[in-house]
């Protein structure tokens, strides 16, 4: 390897000085062993010493003044050094954007090929992950489709080294996401083989990268390469996105057979192991295929709480002795446990809470109209029904309503990527690599829904939806009315007991025993009403504390330490956590509920779907405004 080429296994060498000459990623190589790179330590150079630099060293260290001086003195910007490397290569590999601009203005060839790998400046900048230099070179006509001496284009290099932002930029600029290098390797293959983090593999799949393409030398797919590298993140991501387990490579191996051989290895995740078992059983067992039918499993998971609630109530209501009842309850639990292992899957935790809520609510209505309504005043039933109607409205709006999903067309996504990259705003908290959208302040990507939600509070399994900017008020209404309904029901049960279960007992436990013997079903429903009222009241109290006292969402409260805009400097220079959205106890409530009171109150009407800045409204500010106008969170 000669000077100018960077060993892919070698980390950049960073040198820091305290003057204007700040050398970074200055590489030296020696011709010979392609796997060896020799790095010379560069001493700290004072400001006045830059005048003695030759033009290559001045370019590496970013001394624009010295470079300008030498070029004006007659140095040709396209002249190559002894290792066939141009000045633009050195500026690109060290991310010297001012010098890149200057050399291009002086006629530097943007796509000059140099070095042992016959790479362009764009290849060098891409390999090192210098997004600023990449965008600058592309703006001046650099061609990302050119291949280096190893047959790799720039998108392959970006994928190899995990430079997610650069991969996104290339695809947005029109580079084929399935482009193959000389050996037929696609960016997805390189990412799955070389990068152990979630991105850019997930990003490439979001862009529509093909998981079934095979390389020319081995016939491997991206999943083959991920398994060979024992890259559990890439394997899980590819399997989750439906990568085929049956494609055979030139050695006669499929991903399924390779995973079968490694299924006991500690790098194979639990979900992948379950996928292997499911795939294996699907091949030979028709009964297994039936139990794995998604529609059947869904309805089994949804209906189980309805039957379980009814079964428990019937057992308690029966005339059997307590030991028999306990035995039946144990038998029912065991049956449910083993039945669940066959018919339930990992969607259970998402479906179960809402199914329990719906089942409990259904049997509460049955109990009210069959047992309680005939024994209470009509106004109690009317109030119960009115409360239930308001509850249903708020539940439907929380469940099926838009929580504030951030959406955009493919064209808008590409435009956003290009604009963010070209102005240096491609920060992880400002862009979602899964949804490919620019994220407003207070938004978050929900891993359950796989969507970005504006002013994200939390994903609520009880309503089966995210709680965000557009449905948070309905969720609070849902909690309030559910609490009222549970209390109404418990009140109705007490009225029922007064009429149907008269007793002279004065002790609490004696009275409780009379109630249980008199009408165990009503007692069972009343116990559920109290239990639900307890957790709903707790959740409601937490929500109101966050809204009114903290000015935070649940997500912000849990992760405030990760968000820079929650860090403020208090007394004695101590960093404190405080919400920049907190406007006082009463005003926070007014802002949240949008109370106007005929114009007497003035709630904050910020549109959190388009608010990208904390300190100033930017809804009408063009996306290409100066970066100083923004704070990305």
């Amino acid at each position: 390897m000669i000077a100018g080429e960077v060993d892919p296994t070698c980390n950049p060498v960073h040198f820091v000085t305290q003057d204007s000459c700040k050398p970074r990623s200055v590489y030296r190589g020696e011709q010979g062993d392609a796997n060896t790179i020799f790095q010379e330590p560069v001493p700290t150079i004072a400001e006045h010493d830059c005048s003695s630099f030759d033009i290559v060293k001045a370019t590496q260290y970013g001394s624009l003044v010295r470079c300008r001086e030498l070029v004006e003195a007659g140095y040709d910007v396209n002249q190559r050094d002894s290792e066939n490397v141009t000045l633009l290569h050195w500026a690109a590999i060290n991310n010297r954007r001012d010098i890149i601009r200057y050399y291009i203005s002086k006629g530097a060839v943007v796509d000059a090929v140099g070095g042992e790998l016959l790479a362009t400046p764009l290849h060098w900048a891409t390999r090192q992950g210098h997004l600023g230099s990449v965008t600058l070179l592309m703006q001046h006509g650099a061609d990302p489709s050119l291949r280096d001496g190893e047959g790799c284009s720039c998108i392959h290099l970006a994928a190899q080294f995990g430079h997610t932002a650069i991969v996104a930029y290339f695809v947005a600029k029109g580079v084929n996401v399935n482009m193959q290098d000389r050996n037929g390797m696609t960016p997805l293959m390189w990412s799955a083989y070389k990068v152990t983090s979630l991105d850019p593999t997930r990003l490439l799949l979001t862009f529509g990268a093909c998981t079934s393409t095979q390389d020319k030398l081995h016939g491997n797919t991206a999943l083959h390469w991920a398994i060979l590298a024992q890259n559990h993140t890439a394997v899980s991501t590819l399997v989750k996105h439906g990568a085929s387990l049956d494609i055979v490579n030139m050695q006669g191996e499929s991903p399924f057979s390779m995973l079968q051989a490694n299924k006991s290895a500690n790098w194979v995740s639990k979900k992948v192991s379950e996928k292997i078992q499911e795939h294996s059983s699907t091949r030979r067992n028709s009964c297994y295929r039936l139990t794995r039918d998604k529609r059947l499993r869904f309805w089994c998971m949804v209906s189980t709480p309805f039957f379980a609630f009814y079964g428990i109530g019937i057992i308690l209501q029966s005339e059997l002795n307590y030991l028999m009842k306990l035995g039946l309850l144990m038998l029912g639990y065991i049956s449910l446990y083993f039945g669940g292992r066959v018919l339930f899957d990992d969607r259970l935790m998402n479906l179960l809470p809402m199914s329990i809520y719906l089942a409990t609510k259904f049997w509460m209505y049955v109990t009210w109209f069959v047992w309680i309504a005939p024994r209470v005043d009509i106004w109690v039933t009317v109030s119960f029904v009115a409360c239930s109607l308001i509850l249903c409205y708020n539940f439907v709006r929380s469940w099926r309503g838009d929580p504030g999903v951030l959406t955009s067309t493919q064209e808008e996504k590409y435009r956003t990527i290009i604009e963010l990259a070209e102005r240096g705003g491609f920060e992880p908290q400002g862009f979602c690599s899964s949804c490919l959208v620019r994220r407003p302040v207070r938004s978050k990507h929900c891993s359950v829904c796989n969507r970005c939600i504006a002013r994200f509070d939390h994903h609520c399994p009880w309503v089966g939806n995210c709680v965000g900017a557009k449905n948070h008020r309905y969720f609070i209404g849902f909690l309030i009315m559910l609490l009222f309904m549970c209390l109404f029901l418990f009140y109705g049960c007490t009225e029922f007991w007064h009429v149907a279960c008269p007793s002279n007992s004065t002790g609490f436990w004696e009275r409780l025993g009379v109630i249980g013997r008199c009408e165990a079903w009503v007692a069972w429903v009343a116990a559920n009403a109290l239990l639900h009222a307890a957790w709903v009241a707790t959740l409601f109290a937490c929500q109101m504390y966050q809204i009114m006292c903290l000015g935070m969402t649940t997500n912000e409260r849990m992760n405030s330490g990760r968000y820079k805009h929650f860090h403020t400097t208090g007394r004695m220079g101590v960093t404190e956590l405080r919400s920049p959205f907190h406007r006082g106890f009463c005003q926070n409530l007014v802002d949240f509920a949008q109370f106007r009171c005929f114009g007497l109150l003035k709630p904050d009407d910020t549109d959190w779907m388009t608010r990208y800045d904390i300190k100033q409204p930017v809804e009408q500010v063009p996306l290409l405004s100066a970066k100083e106008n923004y704070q990305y969170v």
Side-chain angles (χ1 to χ4, degrees):
M1 181 175 289
I2 61 174
E5 293 300 334
V6 185
D7 188 336
T9 64
C10 179
N11 294 322
V13 179
H14 299 282
F15 303 96
V16 181
T17 67
Q18 296 180 351
D19 54 72
S20 61
C21 300
K22 298 179 180 178
R24 297 174 57 207
S25 306
V26 182
Y27 289 84
R28 282 288 185 267
E30 182 173 293
Q31 195 167 6
D33 185 0
N35 295 317
T36 305
I37 184 165
F38 298 89
Q39 300 163 346
E40 297 179 357
V42 181
T44 301
I45 307 296
E47 172 84 23
H48 61 275
D49 290 333
C50 294
S51 61
S52 63
F53 286 177
D54 61 32
I55 195 165
V56 171
K57 195 170 185 179
T59 300
Q60 293 170 341
Y61 280 77
S63 178
L64 179 60
V65 174
R66 178 59 177 163
C67 293
R68 193 190 304 272
E69 177 184 330
L70 293 172
V71 171
E72 296 299 331
Y75 193 93
D76 182 5
V77 293
N78 289 311
Q79 182 175 330
R80 299 169 179 265
D81 60 18
S82 59
E83 299 165 19
N84 194 34
V85 178
T86 69
L87 296 176
L88 199 57
H89 283 85
W90 286 116
I93 202 172
N94 290 285
N95 203 28
R96 307 301 185 188
R97 283 171 282 180
D98 289 340
I99 296 178
I100 291 174
R101 291 189 188 92
Y102 176 69
Y103 285 159
I104 292 176
S105 71
K106 291 298 180 179
V109 178
V110 176
D111 285 329
V113 175
E116 182 178 315
L117 292 183
L118 303 177
T120 66
L122 185 60
H123 283 98
W124 282 33
T126 300
R127 187 184 291 264
Q128 295 310 117
H130 297 321
L131 179 62
S133 293
V134 168
T135 58
L136 183 59
L137 291 165
M138 289 275 288
Q139 287 174 308
H140 286 88
D143 186 356
S145 65
L146 295 177
R147 304 177 188 273
D148 61 16
E150 294 182 332
C152 291
S153 70
C154 291
I155 194 172
H156 298 114
L157 296 179
Q160 284 181 41
F161 293 97
H163 301 316
T164 304
I166 297 180
V167 172
Y169 181 69
F170 283 145
V171 176
K173 292 290 284 186
V175 177
N176 183 2
V177 72
N178 293 311
M179 178 184 290
Q180 293 180 288
D181 64 13
R182 179 189 300 163
N183 297 321
M185 294 282 286
T186 65
L188 183 62
M189 293 179 192
W190 278 118
S191 177
Y193 185 55
K194 289 284 190 179
V195 184
T196 57
S197 60
L198 183 58
D199 286 319
T201 301
R202 180 178 64 176
L203 175 82
L204 289 164
L205 290 168
T206 304
F207 274 127
C210 181
T211 59
S212 60
T213 303
Q214 297 175 265
D215 68 73
K216 298 176 182 176
L217 291 182
H218 307 283
N220 288 336
T221 64
L223 187 53
H224 282 95
W225 284 110
I227 297 169
L228 287 171
Q230 297 186 0
N231 187 349
H232 69 91
T233 304
V235 171
S236 299
T237 305
L238 287 163
V239 169
K240 179 181 176 181
H241 279 77
S244 175
L245 295 171
D246 296 321
I247 298 175
V248 179
N249 62 15
M250 294 180 181
Q251 289 74 42
E253 297 176 320
S254 68
F256 173 72
S257 64
M258 295 170 72
L259 286 170
Q260 277 279 61
N262 290 277
K263 66 179 179 181
S264 60
N266 57 10
W267 62 269
V268 179
S269 68
K270 180 180 178 181
K271 288 187 178 180
V272 173
S273 297
E274 291 174 353
K275 186 72 175 179
I276 299 171
Q277 182 180 359
E278 178 182 341
H279 192 77
S280 177
S281 301
T282 301
R283 290 179 164 188
R284 64 175 186 269
N285 193 331
S286 58
C287 181
Y288 187 90
R289 285 200 301 270
L290 177 63
T291 60
R292 291 290 159 175
D293 180 81
K294 290 185 177 180
R295 186 172 299 177
L296 174 64
R297 293 165 73 86
F298 172 82
W299 285 112
C300 285
M301 288 188 287
V302 169
S303 61
T304 295
F306 288 84
F307 291 108
F309 190 104
Y310 178 73
I312 294 172
I314 290 300
I315 292 173
L316 295 175
Q317 180 79 356
S318 68
E319 298 296 332
L320 300 173
N321 62 54
Y322 290 114
L323 288 178
M324 292 287 290
K325 290 180 180 179
L326 181 60
L328 287 174
L329 290 174
M330 292 291 293
L331 181 62
Y333 173 78
I334 293 171
S335 301
L336 186 62
Y337 175 79
F338 286 103
R341 292 176 65 89
V342 176
L343 293 172
F344 296 166
D345 56 30
D346 54 6
R347 292 180 297 167
L348 176 64
M349 295 312 297
N350 295 329
L351 291 173
L352 184 61
M354 190 169 71
S355 298
I356 290 175
Y357 159 73
L358 292 174
T360 307
K361 187 178 172 184
F362 172 78
W363 290 116
M364 283 180 178
Y365 286 137
V366 171
T367 303
W368 183 278
F369 290 106
V370 174
W371 277 272
I372 298 175
R375 291 175 172 84
V376 297
D377 294 336
I378 187 64
W379 70 267
V380 178
T381 299
V382 171
S383 300
F384 179 79
V385 171
C387 178
S388 298
L389 291 175
I390 301 173
L391 170 64
C392 289
Y393 172 77
N394 283 282
F395 172 74
V396 171
R397 294 299 298 265
S398 300
W399 170 40
R400 304 302 296 173
D402 177 14
V405 180
L406 301 173
T407 59
S408 60
T409 64
Q410 191 79 338
E411 182 181 349
E412 290 171 341
K413 291 176 181 178
Y414 286 168
R415 186 168 62 250
T416 298
I417 291 170
I418 293 170
E419 292 174 351
L420 287 175
E422 292 181 351
R423 71 149 186 252
F426 225 132
E427 300 175 17
Q429 290 183 333
F431 178 79
C432 177
S433 61
S434 181
C435 298
L436 306 180
V437 295
R438 187 181 178 210
R439 296 204 313 209
V441 64
R442 312 189 79 179
S443 65
K444 187 179 183 294
H445 183 85
C446 175
S447 59
V448 179
C449 295
N450 196 30
R451 304 179 298 183
C452 280
I453 308 297
R455 207 189 68 194
F456 177 82
D457 188 83
H458 70 290
H459 180 90
C460 181
W462 296 101
V463 297
N465 196 6
C466 286
V467 177
K470 291 188 175 182
N471 69 345
H472 200 169
R473 285 182 293 167
Y474 298 111
F475 178 72
I476 295 297
F478 162 73
L479 294 180
I480 295 172
M481 302 316 298
L482 181 57
L483 180 60
F484 282 169
M485 176 186 169
C486 291
L487 294 178
F488 259 120
L489 182 70
F490 188 75
Y491 170 77
C493 290
T494 59
E495 290 296 306
F496 171 82
W497 291 326
H498 282 306
V499 176
C501 307
S503 173
N504 296 323
S505 303
T506 57
F508 173 77
W509 295 109
E510 292 179 359
R511 179 62 177 165
L512 195 63
V514 171
I515 290 172
R517 289 190 297 271
C518 174
E519 196 63 60
W521 175 270
V522 177
W524 163 241
V525 173
N528 275 272
L530 277 181
L531 178 64
H532 280 268
W535 74 257
V536 170
T538 302
L539 181 55
F540 175 70
C542 289
Q543 283 282 315
M544 296 312 295
Y545 172 72
Q546 291 168 174
I547 292 168
M548 300 178 67
C549 301
L550 301 180
M552 295 183 182
T553 62
T554 302
N555 171 63
E556 290 168 343
R557 186 183 181 189
M558 299 294 293
N559 300 293
S560 56
R562 295 167 46 194
Y563 298 137
K564 294 180 181 178
H565 54 285
F566 281 92
H567 294 207
T568 59
T569 304
R571 295 179 181 179
M572 307 297 293
V574 178
T575 301
E576 300 176 350
L577 292 177
R578 177 180 172 81
S579 172
F581 314 108
H582 181 54
R583 304 214 304 157
F585 185 84
C586 294
Q587 188 61 45
N588 286 343
L589 181 60
V590 170
D591 293 342
F592 174 79
Q594 291 292 296
F595 290 141
R596 298 190 182 275
C597 195
F598 305 102
L600 297 177
L601 300 177
K602 295 182 179 179
D604 178 20
D605 56 358
T606 298
D607 181 5
W608 296 109
M609 300 284 292
T610 57
R611 179 71 177 263
Y612 302 95
D613 181 76
I614 295 174
K615 297 181 180 179
Q616 59 178 337
V618 295
E619 287 80 1
Q620 277 72 45
V621 178
L623 191 56
L624 286 173
S625 298
K627 185 182 177 182
E628 292 74 30
N629 292 336
Y630 292 88
Q631 179 178 346
Y632 298 100
V633 296

